[in-house]
Amino acid sequence: MNKPNRSAPGGRRRYPSRRKPQGNKQYRRTDRHVQISPGADPQLKAVFSGIGVPKNKPFKPDRFQTEAVAVMAESDCLVTAPTGAGKTWIAVQTIRRTFEKGGRAWYASPLKALTNSKLIEFSGIFGPENVGILTGDRKESPDAPIIVGTTEILRNQLYDAMHQGVSLNTDLVVLDEAHFLGDEERGVVWEETMIYLPPRIPLLMLSATVGNAGAIADWLTAIRGRPCRVVAETQRPVPLYPMVLHPSGTLLPLTVKGGRGAKALHKKVERLIGQKKQPEPPRRRGLPPFGDILRVLKAYDLLPAIFFLKSRSDCDAALNLCHGAVPLTDEKKAELFDRVRALTDSSPHLAQHRQRIHLEQAGVGAHHSGHLPGWKLVVERLMSEGLLTAVLATSTVAAGVNFPARTMVFFNSDRFNGTEFIPLDATQLHQMTGRAGRRGMDKIGFALAVPGRYMDLRLVARLLASRPGKVHSRIRINFSMVLNLLLSHTPAQVEELLKRSFATWLLIAKAEDSRQKSRMADVHEVLWEDFLRHLDFLKETGFVDGDDRLTEDGVWASQLRVDQPLIVAECLRQGLLPDGDAAQMAGVFACMVNERETDDRMEGRLVPNRLKRTVGRIQKKLTGFARHMKSRGFDVRPFYLRPAAMTHAWASGYPWENVIKEYGMAEGNLAMLMMRTADNLRHAANLVDVFPESAATAREAIGLIMKEPVVEGTDEDEADR
């Protein structure tokens, strides 16, 4: 086994040199003739005897569930519990109590898919007439007493309420996935929401287990002047048993009980990783032998399974290797065929999906960001209904979806963070293993580690025994925040708000000596100085006047709650947007939302001259403004023609399949580009009183790109998801 390189910073394990994931090159290896034969260590006999379906009992809430509902009657509450423990039941009971008293409730989640599913769930509980939805692309029944939406929309409503001098029109806020407070990219939205929420509104937070829940609750108690209590559940609803797959096909326990109750690696696992050359299962077409692994799992009643793989291309390529491993009966194939047809009949694109055959003939599906949201929904629904044998997924599926399996299988103990491969941490591994074991369907769940070059079994054992990591403050200053706070606050009042940040509070709580007090001052000083830096630039560019109040331009620019608000605002001020040409408008906005560096080398025919001239003219006219931003230390993203061209082609009526083929982008990524572009266009479309022509063109552009298959329904109750 490759041992940790202690010369790495902080003693962190350094993996063998790896580049960005590229297909299945990781797995290319030798001995294609070695066969895997199902086997199990004798110690597992007792464990496997516990496999089965629990008795069907009347529902009885757990202690932590009833405790949390009781706590919410008198204070805020942070609920931390493992995946599948039943946190949504707490939200439903708390919302019900508010609703029955004639009050209003707001349920915020991080993902549109989760929000859409909650709309369906809550509509069934409280009646569709009582539930509305607010996301970037859906606004239905906004005056309903129960609203589900994304956290960004809730934060924006808090901005508007502060500007109007009113309190948010709700009597309860539920923040689902509250541990997103520590998310590097979006955590600032959760922190802002917690800071701005009026103390009169009770706050229920539902979270995966975190290492510093008490600190979060104490911080909220301090800044809201309202007690916040933690209700924690550490017990998984379905016990987890970790195993290792020996290259021969024999299942081994990962750990055994050592002295004083501690866990030690099983002796056979120790011998396995102690060999000079790390053994691996034989490969099939450069990939792990998924068919053989499925046969092992089938032999010991460990299906269905979720396989976590390192790349999207591996997930897709592995589907062919699964055929024939677990033969389906004619009845099962017929059931799958009928269900897939029901879920895809309303969408010709999904009905003709190239991976449909794998669902119907082998009972396996791939799930990753390269697929359309509609297709991922089909796979999720089939898995949650128990119709699939396995799902092959990237680790992103561990967050935000609910289709657990009896067993989760993983091949790497590291992950790609967008830049490099780094070891998993306890929180990430717990999130992945949280999918193992279906509440009400399994008595026990299993996590199966497959040895290989990038699997550190010692690390896995250590992480499984570790507490989840702590959540850290991610608050940062940006132009949208500054503009919106200046709608209703003076700079002095903003400074007081910044003192309420989680980062500042943490240091106050630890300030036992002058050094820590100095650090506390440093954190606040950094935030405050960054605010002043943004404020000065807004003054220099005419969005704020000399008295620190928003100018007319600043007021309308505050409504551009997008990634690059000042770039969009400057386009509007200079009249640079292609008013009257909705397809070009969509292309231009795609330039401003694309976050990835892209190769702009394309055949000339793929970039219409008119679009090229429009983008070039905007870049030229923005040169001075962009240089000014850069001179003050602010990032300015380059404009890339490829996203503009593919968005323009789609908006102009070019067939979806042709756009994907000609411009070389996975359809899931293309759909995401369209949705993000539409989100940004909506903000421009709202400025109808200031820029009526641009607003009208932006509105038309949204309609041109938000069409099937970017947005599509499925049959039955999925029609609105």
Side-chain angles (χ1 to χ4, degrees), residues 399-416:
V401 295
N402 181 28
F403 57 93
R406 180 165 289 173
T407 304
M408 61 82 63
V409 184
F410 62 116
F411 301 84
N412 306 329
S413 57
D414 63 350
R415 69 181 183 92
F416 188 69

Side-chain angles (χ1 to χ4, degrees), residues 197-326:
L197 189 69
R200 73 163 185 85
I201 301 175
L203 176 61
L204 171 62
M205 293 156 288
L206 308 176
S207 172
T209 50
V210 295
N212 58 340
I216 297 172
D218 290 345
W219 163 62
L220 289 169
T221 298
I223 68 169
R224 283 171 53 79
R226 175 188 179 91
C228 179
R229 286 182 52 190
V230 175
V231 174
E233 175 57 68
T234 57
Q235 193 74 24
R236 284 174 50 99
V238 179
L240 178 73
Y241 193 90
M243 300 186 299
V244 174
L245 180 67
H246 190 278
S248 66
T250 299
L251 298 169
L252 304 174
L254 174 64
T255 57
V256 293
K257 287 185 179 179
R260 298 182 180 179
K263 293 291 184 71
L265 287 178
H266 189 276
K267 61 182 181 181
K268 293 181 181 178
V269 176
E270 282 278 12
R271 286 200 298 267
L272 180 66
I273 65 177
Q275 299 178 26
K276 288 185 178 180
K277 187 174 182 180
Q278 176 68 53
E280 301 180 46
R283 304 296 169 187
R284 299 290 183 268
R285 302 178 192 173
L287 286 164
F290 291 101
D292 291 336
I293 296 174
L294 281 172
R295 278 186 279 271
V296 172
L297 298 177
K298 173 66 174 177
Y300 295 97
D301 200 14
L302 297 172
L303 296 174
I306 298 176
F307 290 83
F308 285 117
L309 306 180
K310 67 173 176 60
S311 70
R312 303 184 309 194
S313 59
D314 280 356
C315 294
D316 293 336
L319 290 171
N320 287 322
L321 300 181
C322 296
H323 282 256
V326 182

Side-chain angles (χ1 to χ4, degrees), residues 85-96:
K87 295 185 288 291
T88 299
W89 183 89
I90 299 169
V92 169
Q93 299 308 310
T94 307
I95 292 172
R96 188 192 306 279

